[in-house]
Amino acid sequence: MSVKANRTVRIPLSVPDQRADDLHATHNPYQYCQNRTVDWCWPDAPTHPDDLKTGKGDAEDALYDDLRDKTDHELHSNLVQKAIKDAVSAVGSCKTSWENGDRISKPEFQDHADESYTMTYDKRAATYHRYKASFAVLDGAPVHCRYELPATLNATPYNQYVRDSRWGFSTSKLVFDGEQFWLHAVMKRSYTDAPEYPPTADGPDTQEDFTRVLGVDLNVNGHSAVTSAGGFHGNADYLNHRRSTYEELRGELQETGTRSAHLRLQSRRGVEWAWLDQYAHHVANCIVADAVTVGATHVVFENLTRIRQRISNEPKFQQWLFGRVQKYVEYKLKEFGISFEQVAARYTSQSCSRTDCDCVDEDNRSGKQFNCISCGYALNADLNAAKNIGLKFLETLPASRTCSSGKATSQLALVSGTLTPTGSFSRVDWASTDKPHPQRASGSLSARAK
């Protein structure tokens, strides 16, 4: 059994002075291909979301040959394909927003006031190494760029993923922010060394008698998702910061009211929703990787109806994000035969997760720290909630779930082992899940893994 995980590392590039113009020149026909694709996907005056065309294969069949001709066959064939894919993705994000009842407008890939842009490169149009990368440009030699690395690499995403041979490069993005070129390197890895379950030789007679649960707590600040096995994934604070920044920009553009402001607003909307959707995929991938690593049979979330009672940062958006993460986790788990479950987990933040303590008190939690006022048990508050969510599901199982030896076969996956509902702990050294360091809003290399 295996599961794929990915991380994105943001690396500043050193581009030879004489070659920067080659990259800029390549973006012009790339942008042309993007806009032509949007025109094809977006009919005049659409009246229903299904009027928008979002099939990448259909778009390539209809446009590829013509776009190659229009760009005089100078733009790398793979860059033409990636420009088509970028545009289809932007239209797909608009379609999703329309289906959710939001107002939308036709995406436009246009020149920004700060001259920023993004191009997508896979390994047919770019070559990625541990310390440098090269990119295909218009009918010329590839541009070779070295990574600008800090003096100390310890604890940086670059050291954790790019230099680790277990991770490999995948389709990535070349980004120009108006001043600096960046590589948003997508690193992928397959986990195939999950422990057999049950981990002991004298386990249950049949797999059907065995249950190992991974509890998941979703949050609006701190980490977006925390699992009972100690997985801390995503950065809700950075997510909210990015959304707030976008909302401020949208307000300024709407207030300006000029045509250029309107066009910029249109182009930004599809990009923002595409980023949010990618973020939801990232968090879901991390949760699935944790589930496979610990040999879980069930992954359990809170029922979403509880969200409106506990959040204040635009409940509609948070419910959309949490729902999207759960939807992605559910379908990704099917490949591994792992069940997706939900529980009505009242008081998971206030209850002590020790099985021999029944204390439920709002004073137990202070911010991100949980300290039981009864037994003194202390741990991260979100981890405590994730454990409670998993234990809540175990309580719903039949009391007779035991094997012939009399040992309990219902377990909660923890950081360093498993816990039964009766409080029996078994130590298990899980394979490393290589969890990312928390993202921060700064632009430093060490802050950008997603």
Side-chain angles (χ1 to χ4, degrees), residues 64-273:
Y64 175 78
D65 290 337
D66 182 60
L67 291 177
R68 286 282 284 160
D69 291 339
K70 289 295 194 299
T71 57
D72 298 324
H73 292 264
E74 293 184 349
L75 184 65
H76 192 287
S77 60
N78 188 250
L79 290 178
V80 174
Q81 294 173 339
K82 290 299 177 285
I84 293 173
K85 183 177 180 180
D86 289 346
V88 170
S89 177
V91 174
S93 296
C94 289
K95 181 178 180 179
T96 300
S97 299
W98 194 352
E99 291 171 340
N100 289 335
D102 298 326
R103 298 181 62 183
I104 64 168
S105 57
K106 182 179 178 180
E108 289 189 35
F109 294 87
Q110 60 179 5
D111 295 329
H112 298 146
D114 59 5
E115 299 181 345
S116 61
Y117 60 81
T118 299
M119 293 190 289
T120 303
Y121 279 84
D122 73 5
K123 289 189 284 188
R124 288 178 291 176
T127 304
Y128 300 113
H129 300 283
R130 301 297 169 183
Y131 299 96
K132 63 181 181 180
S134 60
F135 304 93
V137 292
L138 285 180
D139 197 24
V143 177
H144 301 283
C145 308
R146 296 197 65 83
Y147 304 152
E148 293 184 354
L149 303 175
T152 302
L153 296 178
N154 293 336
T156 64
Y158 171 83
N159 192 57
Q160 188 174 6
Y161 303 115
V162 179
R163 296 184 69 192
D164 189 333
S165 61
R166 294 172 297 179
W167 292 83
F169 284 93
S170 184
T171 299
S172 303
K173 293 186 180 296
L174 176 68
V175 178
F176 181 65
D177 64 7
E179 297 180 358
Q180 170 78 50
F181 282 98
W182 299 80
L183 172 63
H184 289 198
V186 177
M187 310 301 298
K188 289 193 174 183
R189 176 184 174 187
S190 294
Y191 295 94
T192 58
D193 52 356
E196 295 291 333
Y197 53 86
T200 57
D202 57 347
D205 294 337
T206 63
Q207 184 170 317
E208 287 74 20
D209 293 329
F210 175 77
T211 302
R212 180 176 293 155
V213 170
L214 181 76
V216 182
D217 182 50
L218 298 177
N219 305 284
V220 298
N221 51 50
H223 294 88
S224 291
V226 177
T227 70
S228 60
F232 291 81
H233 305 302
N235 187 334
D237 294 331
Y238 175 64
L239 174 68
N240 291 329
H241 166 77
R242 181 170 180 135
R243 288 190 59 249
S244 296
T245 301
Y246 174 69
E247 291 297 333
E248 291 175 2
L249 174 61
R250 184 169 66 177
E252 293 174 359
L253 293 174
Q254 289 175 335
E255 184 176 353
T256 300
T258 63
R259 173 171 173 75
S260 61
H262 175 69
L263 292 175
R264 187 180 181 192
L265 182 63
Q266 286 182 317
S267 65
R268 288 291 303 167
R269 183 172 183 80
V271 172
E272 187 70 16
W273 279 105

Side-chain angles (χ1 to χ4, degrees), residues 31-65:
Q31 183 183 51
Y32 169 80
C33 294
Q34 290 174 316
N35 286 320
R36 276 289 309 279
T37 304
V38 171
D39 290 339
W40 182 86
C41 293
W42 197 287
D44 293 335
T47 60
H48 189 274
D50 289 338
D51 293 339
L52 306 182
K53 301 175 184 178
T54 57
K56 176 179 176 291
D58 293 338
E60 281 194 8
D61 291 342
L63 299 171
Y64 175 78
D65 290 337

Side-chain angles (χ1 to χ4, degrees), residues 125-416:
T127 304
Y128 300 113
H129 300 283
R130 301 297 169 183
Y131 299 96
K132 63 181 181 180
S134 60
F135 304 93
V137 292
L138 285 180
D139 197 24
V143 177
H144 301 283
C145 308
R146 296 197 65 83
Y147 304 152
E148 293 184 354
L149 303 175
T152 302
L153 296 178
N154 293 336
T156 64
Y158 171 83
N159 192 57
Q160 188 174 6
Y161 303 115
V162 179
R163 296 184 69 192
D164 189 333
S165 61
R166 294 172 297 179
W167 292 83
F169 284 93
S170 184
T171 299
S172 303
K173 293 186 180 296
L174 176 68
V175 178
F176 181 65
D177 64 7
E179 297 180 358
Q180 170 78 50
F181 282 98
W182 299 80
L183 172 63
H184 289 198
V186 177
M187 310 301 298
K188 289 193 174 183
R189 176 184 174 187
S190 294
Y191 295 94
T192 58
D193 52 356
E196 295 291 333
Y197 53 86
T200 57
D202 57 347
D205 294 337
T206 63
Q207 184 170 317
E208 287 74 20
D209 293 329
F210 175 77
T211 302
R212 180 176 293 155
V213 170
L214 181 76
V216 182
D217 182 50
L218 298 177
N219 305 284
V220 298
N221 51 50
H223 294 88
S224 291
V226 177
T227 70
S228 60
F232 291 81
H233 305 302
N235 187 334
D237 294 331
Y238 175 64
L239 174 68
N240 291 329
H241 166 77
R242 181 170 180 135
R243 288 190 59 249
S244 296
T245 301
Y246 174 69
E247 291 297 333
E248 291 175 2
L249 174 61
R250 184 169 66 177
E252 293 174 359
L253 293 174
Q254 289 175 335
E255 184 176 353
T256 300
T258 63
R259 173 171 173 75
S260 61
H262 175 69
L263 292 175
R264 187 180 181 192
L265 182 63
Q266 286 182 317
S267 65
R268 288 291 303 167
R269 183 172 183 80
V271 172
E272 187 70 16
W273 279 105
W275 186 90
L276 292 171
D277 191 65
Q278 182 184 22
Y279 181 89
H281 268 294
H282 158 67
V283 174
N285 285 337
C286 292
I287 294 170
V288 173
D290 277 5
V292 172
T293 298
V294 302
T297 61
H298 297 73
V299 174
V300 185
F301 290 83
E302 297 174 286
N303 190 294
L304 290 176
T305 56
R306 182 173 175 265
I307 291 179
R308 291 186 180 276
Q309 281 71 50
R310 83 175 198 179
I311 67 175
S312 58
N313 181 21
E314 297 192 33
K316 180 181 178 181
F317 166 75
Q318 297 293 356
Q319 190 153 4
W320 174 88
L321 177 65
F322 290 178
R324 186 58 59 94
V325 169
Q326 292 195 18
K327 175 183 176 182
Y328 289 159
V329 169
E330 183 174 11
Y331 88 74
K332 292 171 190 285
L333 289 176
K334 291 179 181 178
E335 180 181 353
F336 310 102
I338 302 174
S339 298
F340 171 90
E341 304 288 347
Q342 289 182 316
V343 293
R346 295 185 63 190
Y347 305 116
T348 53
S349 296
Q350 301 176 17
S351 302
C352 181
S353 59
R354 282 182 61 105
T355 57
D356 58 353
C357 180
D358 297 324
C359 180
V360 180
D361 196 295
E362 62 181 11
D363 291 336
N364 284 338
R365 176 166 183 163
S366 177
K368 290 295 180 180
Q369 184 61 30
F370 184 92
N371 292 278
C372 181
I373 61 175
S374 176
C375 69
Y377 186 46
L379 74 166
N380 177 275
D382 297 328
L383 178 58
N384 178 76
K387 292 173 61 179
N388 281 329
I389 290 168
L391 290 171
K392 191 79 171 181
F393 175 75
L394 291 179
E395 291 175 0
T396 68
L397 299 178
S400 60
R401 292 183 70 87
T402 58
C403 61
S404 58
S405 64
K407 294 183 179 180
T409 59
S410 297
Q411 304 171 342
L412 174 67
L414 303 179
V415 178
S416 56

